């Protein structure tokens, strides 16, 4: 019988703490934060877990050589079970997105799901891999911005001016946040491709420069909350990459990848606070230390 702990390892459950902040930062940027947002964040988590399960199914033969301790090559989870989990979570994520946000959310969730599966099955081991994974995260941010203007009590829209906005205006307003998260994801994915073999120093040099640019774009107007969160993100993730630059061994690369995954909530929090939601931004960023603690139990990479 498949154990719950094995399923949690299959989908890298703690890493999902880095996911709701995508939707929240997108909704904050677009002005669409309301009662629908938590459900969209839940749909995002389901799609993320689906991608993790599909990733292990697609990599089962490679993992048998490089990571025999993973759930499928170790025999703890059958390949068919992993594929079924991935398909089931995808269906559930799409259904929840549609129920929460209707056709607008579905119009973003479906391409997001297609891109996730496309990365796992086709793009991951190609030169396009980091860009496709970055697109996944960018679409995830836009999922939060996909619904109409924020609604107040009774389902009525918050302001008459909001009703006059074009249907896609929220997506446009959230695009800078989506590009920022996508750029961060590119750096993490590029590093992750060298977790087993190690990297030459050109890679951490490039990703470190990218991280500095990402942190700078998250600042916005001078405000102590996004500034502090962006600085914390850049300091922790940047320090891990600097250690790779000094010693580009597989262990250092894996540590940097883990820092990039668990440090993402600080960046998402900075983007959310930059949009004027300081308390929510701090709450989003609070997932970062919790994610680091849980990563000691289940690896996020």
């Amino acid at each position: 019988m498949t154990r719950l702990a094995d399923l949690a390892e299959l989908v890298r459950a703690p890493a999902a703490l880095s996911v709701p902040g995508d939707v929240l930062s997108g909704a904050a940027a677009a002005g669409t934060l309301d009662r629908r947002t938590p459900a969209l964040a839940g749909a995002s988590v389901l799609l993320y877990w689906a991608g993790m399960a599909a990733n292990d199914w697609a990599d089962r033969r490679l993992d048998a050589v490089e990571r025999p301790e993973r759930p499928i090559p170790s025999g703890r989870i059958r390949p068919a079970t992993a594929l079924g989990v991935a398909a089931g979570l995808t269906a559930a994520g799409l259904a929840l997105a549609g129920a929460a946000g209707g056709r607008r959310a579905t119009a973003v969730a479906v391409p997001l799901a297609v891109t996730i599966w496309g990365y796992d099955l086709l793009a991951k081991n190609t030169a396009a891999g980091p860009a496709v994974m970055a697109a996944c995260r960018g679409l995830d941010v836009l999922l939060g911005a996909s619904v109409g203007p924020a609604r107040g009590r009774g389902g009525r829209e918050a302001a008459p001016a909001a009703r006059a906005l074009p249907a896609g205006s929220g997506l446009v307003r959230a695009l800078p946040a989506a590009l920022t998260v996508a750029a961060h994801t590119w750096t993490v994915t590029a590093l992750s491709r060298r977790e087993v073999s190690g990297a030459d120093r050109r890679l951490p040099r490039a990703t470190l420069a990218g991280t500095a640019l990402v942190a700078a774009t998250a600042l916005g107007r001078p405000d102590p909350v996004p500034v502090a969160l962006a600085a914390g993100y850049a300091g922790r993730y940047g320090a891990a990459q600097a250690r790779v630059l000094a010693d580009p061994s597989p262990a250092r690369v894996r540590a940097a990848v883990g820092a990039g995954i668990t440090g993402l909530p600080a960046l998402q929090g900075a983007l959310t606070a930059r949009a004027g939601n300081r308390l929510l931004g701090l709450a989003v960023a609070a997932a970062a230390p919790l994610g680091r603690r849980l990563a000691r139990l289940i690896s996020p990479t």
Side-chain angles (χ1 to χ4, degrees):
M1 182 179 295
T2 301
R3 300 184 306 155
L4 185 60
D6 296 329
L7 289 173
E9 185 178 352
L10 176 74
V11 300
R12 298 166 178 82
L17 287 171
S18 72
V19 177
D22 286 344
V23 170
L24 292 172
S25 62
T32 58
L33 277 168
D34 64 10
R35 68 184 68 180
R36 300 166 292 184
T37 306
L40 291 175
S44 173
V45 169
L46 292 173
L47 292 174
Y48 181 88
W49 279 340
M52 293 295 101
N55 176 79
D56 268 28
W57 179 81
D59 278 358
R60 62 194 184 278
R61 294 183 180 87
L62 180 63
D63 283 346
V65 176
E66 295 183 346
R67 298 182 178 185
E69 74 280 0
R70 292 294 301 162
I72 295 178
S74 67
R76 289 177 288 137
I77 290 182
R78 295 183 298 115
T81 300
L83 185 59
V85 167
L89 288 170
T90 300
L94 292 174
L96 183 55
R103 288 179 295 177
R104 291 181 182 177
T106 300
V108 177
V110 169
L112 172 57
V114 170
T115 307
I116 289 170
W117 280 84
Y119 173 81
D120 287 333
L121 301 182
L122 299 173
K124 180 170 51 180
N125 296 317
T126 71
V132 174
M133 179 55 77
C136 291
R137 282 288 190 169
L139 286 167
D140 205 29
V141 174
L142 294 180
L143 181 62
S146 61
V147 296
R151 295 179 180 273
R153 293 180 180 177
R156 289 179 295 182
E157 293 180 351
R163 291 195 294 270
L165 293 172
S169 62
L171 297 176
V172 174
R173 292 196 299 275
L175 190 57
L179 292 174
T180 298
V181 173
H184 163 80
T185 304
W186 183 91
T187 69
V188 177
T189 308
L191 284 168
S192 72
R193 292 155 69 91
R194 297 292 181 267
E195 286 184 307
V196 175
S197 62
D200 63 50
R201 287 179 171 81
R202 288 175 297 177
L203 177 59
R205 193 176 294 122
T207 60
L208 190 54
T211 298
L213 180 60
V214 165
T217 60
L219 296 177
R221 64 179 184 273
D223 186 305
V225 175
V227 167
L229 294 178
Y233 153 80
R236 183 172 291 273
Y237 182 35
Q241 293 172 83
R243 287 190 285 271
V244 177
L245 192 57
D247 173 17
S249 64
R252 288 284 177 90
V253 173
R254 284 193 295 272
V257 172
I261 294 172
T262 60
L264 178 55
L267 175 62
Q268 296 161 335
L271 293 169
T272 303
R274 185 184 71 177
N277 295 270
R278 296 181 182 87
L279 290 179
L280 181 58
L282 290 170
V284 169
L290 177 59
R292 287 193 292 271
R293 192 168 291 111
L294 293 175
R296 299 169 188 168
L297 302 177
I298 300 177
S299 173
T301 69

